[in-house]
Amino acid sequence: MAAQHPRQSSPPARLAVLVSGSGTNLQALLDAVEARGAEAYGARVVAVGSDREGVEGLRRAERAGIPTFVRRLRDYPDRAAWDRALAEATAAHAPDLVVSAGFMKVVGAEFLARFGGRFVNTHPALLPSFPGAHGVRDALAYGAKVTGCTVHFVDDGVDTGPVIAQSAVDVLEGDDESALHERIKDAERRLLVDVVGRLARDGYSIEGRKVRLGHERARHQ
Ligand code: GRF
């Protein structure tokens, strides 16, 4: 039985974006909404959350006039309490979709109970190859000739959820981690903007590991 997530009845969809660092993927989403207009793009960013204070991703949100929140793991007695606090802070903005864009923490049961099936992550490798925090470094060390990025729904594993879309990037002779990551992030930003817009505008279904976006979903019904 497929979990159906039909197109929002009153677009644009509300996006909450979680970041831990520079936030260039967040910026790509903000730029897409700004350039195309929230109605045409199908979504707008209503909140940006982080597990760290003072990161550039939060400053990008502030500059765009978007509310932010920070929930640091170290401020809670245990991981479950932090996870609950993160889930509550996110839920307070009533998002239709939550996007993990360079958010470097694994969320827990409470967060997934609230946002499972509408929590999207971007990962800088072609999953299931090179999951985890060092996807670019690991692909380089392995000697892969092609790597890339994956936008996927988050489940209770580390980078194991159903794949929505992927984009390939060649590894070039002489690449170091930073040069390769920059080229991957270029592809990643384009892919994320495209995927989030399509999820929001067209709806989607998740059946086991198979994600179908709007037009593909219609063909399979
Ligand atoms: C992205 O490559 C993301 O996949 C990885 O960290 C990077 C975040 O970049 N987990 P930014 O903060 O969006 O610039």
Side-chain angles (χ1 to χ4, degrees), residues 120-136 138-139 146-155 157-169 184 188 191 209:
V120 172
N121 180 47
T122 172
H123 179 75
L126 294 175
L127 294 171
S129 292
F130 313 117
H134 304 292
V136 180
D138 294 346
V146 177
T147 183
C149 51
T150 303
V151 177
H152 65 97
F153 285 110
V154 179
D155 67 5
V158 176
D159 301 324
T160 53
V163 171
I164 309 169
Q166 296 183 298
S167 179
V169 173
I184 291 173
E188 209 176 356
L191 190 68
R209 295 207 52 85

Side-chain angles (χ1 to χ4, degrees), residues 30-148:
L30 294 173
D31 291 349
V33 175
E34 173 79 19
R36 290 155 71 169
E39 295 291 332
Y41 179 60
R44 67 197 168 95
V45 181
V46 296
V48 173
S50 183
D51 60 321
R52 298 178 196 173
E53 305 258 24
V55 293
E56 183 60 20
L58 288 173
R59 285 196 286 272
R60 290 177 192 276
E62 282 154 16
R63 288 198 291 271
I66 290 164
T68 63
F69 59 89
V70 175
R71 295 294 180 275
R72 299 188 309 177
L73 183 53
R74 72 169 86 133
D75 294 334
Y76 295 88
D78 55 32
R79 224 181 154 92
W82 168 77
D83 182 58
R84 198 172 317 118
L86 183 73
E88 272 161 19
T90 305
H93 297 278
D96 299 301
L97 287 172
V98 182
V99 181
S100 158
F103 185 63
M104 300 308 283
K105 290 268 185 312
V106 174
V107 301
E110 174 82 29
F111 198 93
L112 287 175
R114 292 216 203 195
F115 300 111
R118 52 201 182 101
F119 183 26
V120 172
N121 180 47
T122 172
H123 179 75
L126 294 175
L127 294 171
S129 292
F130 313 117
H134 304 292
V136 180
R137 189 187 306 171
D138 294 346
L140 209 50
Y142 192 82
K145 302 294 186 198
V146 177
T147 183

Side-chain angles (χ1 to χ4, degrees), residues 21-26 101-102 104 122-124 181 185 188:
S22 64
T24 64
N25 280 284
L26 162 67
M104 300 308 283
T122 172
H123 179 75
H181 200 174
K185 282 175 67 165
E188 209 176 356

